[in-house]
Amino acid sequence: MHSHDAPPAPDNALRALEEKLGTALPPALRGCYATANGGRFGDPQRRDAEWQLHPVRDSSDRKQLKRTAEDVLHFTQIALRNTSFPRHGLSIAHHYTMSRQLLVLRDEATGALGDEIFLFEAHTARWSAPYASDLRAAMAQQRIPEAVQPDPSRALPVFRYYADPFASGVMRAASDTCECCDQATGYIYDGSFYAVGDASQFCPWCIADGSAAAKFDGEFNDAASVGMGEVALPPAVVDEVSRRTPSFFSYQQEQWWAHCNDAGCFLGEIEHVDRALLASESARAFKQDMQAHEQLPTEAEWQWLLATPSRDRHAAVYVFRCLHCGTLGGYSDCS
């Protein structure tokens, strides 16, 4: 299975889904989720297509919660809007759009979910005989792309307003094909992209030169959030942050701190920012604001904030630095 590095679904997440369903997941399906919570696998009936497996909601940390918020129950609710979708079906995968879906069926007498995988085609408004005996069988003819090595002669783009998108996790080394240039460059973006369509995986170059935002008429960061509603920035700055700068993982929609009539450079979550920088004079006002906002008045409580991952305190603090005077700023975000 080509999982895009999707981690396994935690056992407690699987149990929570089963409680909501009122029945156990089919063993083969449960086993697949225990290996990778979501991801893609090839469609043997269509060599140029692949299935996107619907994940199980995982609230173990903020990144996984955001990645799995649109889970198997969410996609089933969407599927049920089509009156031809079986009322006793659970949608587990879809193609690029929801026009083709894979599902498992609930026994109408016992409520138990079966292992057999069925195919639903929206354009014909019907569901067919079993697509495969179980999910593992459906994946048996998967197509695993060859590893793609980045071109060493091609320098990665520098994002003026983002210190290191690889360190924050929104950019990673991967063999995936960019949905804008249709090239596998060795790198792929996994963060937010706000657009009408489903495209969201792009190479760094298509983000930096604006071609991804232009092609899909979307934004990586909401333009209205640039300046956090407090500072009116020049249109060129807003455009660069919203359409040519990666986003970052957050509980709520991202905001972008500004200073000196310019957007700040995103440094990361506070626990990953250099401690010496956070202890410097440039961070004094920011530290005071955050201590007051998070109700952490003592130095010991402040050090606890710096040492504790956000997933363990259910709040995140995002840090930016002014490109002109070096002042630090940012905001906190709760789950």
Side-chain angles (χ1 to χ4, degrees):
M1 184 174 181
H2 180 34
S3 64
H4 297 297
D5 297 326
D11 191 62
N12 61 348
L14 292 169
R15 291 198 306 271
L17 174 60
E18 289 174 329
E19 288 177 9
K20 291 179 181 178
L21 293 170
T23 188
L25 290 170
L29 180 59
R30 202 182 205 282
C32 286
Y33 280 132
T35 301
N37 189 14
R40 297 180 182 179
F41 60 95
D43 181 349
Q45 297 179 9
R46 298 189 178 188
R47 294 186 58 83
D48 61 343
E50 53 184 10
W51 293 104
Q52 174 68 52
L53 182 65
H54 303 156
V56 174
R57 185 179 179 85
D58 176 5
S59 57
S60 58
D61 63 49
R62 183 163 34 80
K63 178 179 177 180
Q64 296 309 320
L65 179 59
K66 184 169 185 176
R67 187 183 69 82
T68 64
E70 294 184 346
D71 65 347
V72 63
L73 296 179
H74 167 83
F75 282 108
T76 297
Q77 290 175 346
I78 293 176
L80 287 168
R81 294 174 187 169
N82 187 322
T83 56
S84 298
F85 186 86
R87 302 297 95 182
H88 53 304
L90 180 71
S91 178
I92 62 168
H94 70 276
H95 264 194
Y96 179 70
T97 68
M98 294 285 284
S99 61
R100 301 182 85 232
Q101 299 174 59
L102 297 182
L103 62 132
V104 291
L105 292 175
R106 185 190 295 269
D107 186 286
E108 295 183 270
T110 66
L113 286 166
D115 254 335
E116 280 189 321
I117 307 297
F118 293 84
L119 172 68
F120 175 76
E121 304 220 39
H123 67 278
T124 60
R126 61 177 180 162
W127 55 282
S128 71
Y131 174 87
S133 57
D134 58 43
L135 189 57
R136 291 196 187 282
M139 295 176 181
Q141 299 183 56
Q142 62 186 309
R143 300 182 307 280
I144 302 176
E146 296 181 2
V148 175
Q149 298 300 319
D151 181 353
S153 67
R154 190 182 190 190
L156 282 164
V158 175
F159 295 98
R160 173 177 171 81
Y161 298 111
Y162 208 120
D164 190 345
F166 287 92
S168 70
V170 296
M171 201 79 73
R172 60 184 173 84
S175 299
D176 305 64
T177 299
C178 172
E179 293 178 282
C180 179
C181 66
D182 295 323
Q183 300 296 312
T185 66
Y187 303 105
I188 207 70
Y189 171 72
D190 269 337
S192 298
F193 183 64
Y194 304 103
V196 174
D198 295 330
S200 64
Q201 291 197 311
F202 308 115
C203 70
W205 294 274
C206 284
I207 296 175
D209 66 13
S211 56
K215 182 173 182 178
F216 297 99
D217 191 22
E219 295 180 334
F220 295 95
N221 300 285
D222 178 23
S225 73
V226 182
M228 297 174 60
E230 301 169 355
V231 181
L233 296 173
V237 172
V238 175
D239 185 74
E240 182 166 350
V241 173
S242 63
R243 297 175 65 83
R244 298 192 300 280
T245 301
S247 185
F248 53 88
F249 295 118
S250 61
Y251 284 122
Q252 314 301 329
Q253 185 163 296
E254 305 84 0
Q255 299 186 65
W256 214 275
W257 181 80
H259 198 263
C260 290
N261 199 39
D262 198 359
C265 178
F266 177 67
L267 301 184
E269 291 189 40
I270 196 166
E271 61 264 33
H272 303 303
V273 176
D274 182 71
R275 296 290 183 86
L277 184 59
L278 291 170
S280 68
E281 180 63 23
S282 63
R284 183 173 60 85
F286 171 64
K287 176 182 177 181
Q288 292 174 346
D289 288 345
M290 285 297 102
Q291 284 185 286
H293 189 273
E294 295 300 313
Q295 299 181 339
L296 303 171
T298 69
E299 183 63 23
E301 290 172 311
W302 176 251
Q303 292 302 321
W304 169 84
L305 177 73
L306 301 186
T308 306
S310 58
R311 65 176 179 273
D312 295 331
R313 47 183 159 84
H314 305 292
V317 178
Y318 308 107
V319 185
F320 298 77
R321 189 176 192 179
C322 179
L323 291 169
H324 305 278
C325 69
T327 296
L328 264 62
Y331 71 99
S332 63
D333 183 24
C334 295
S335 60

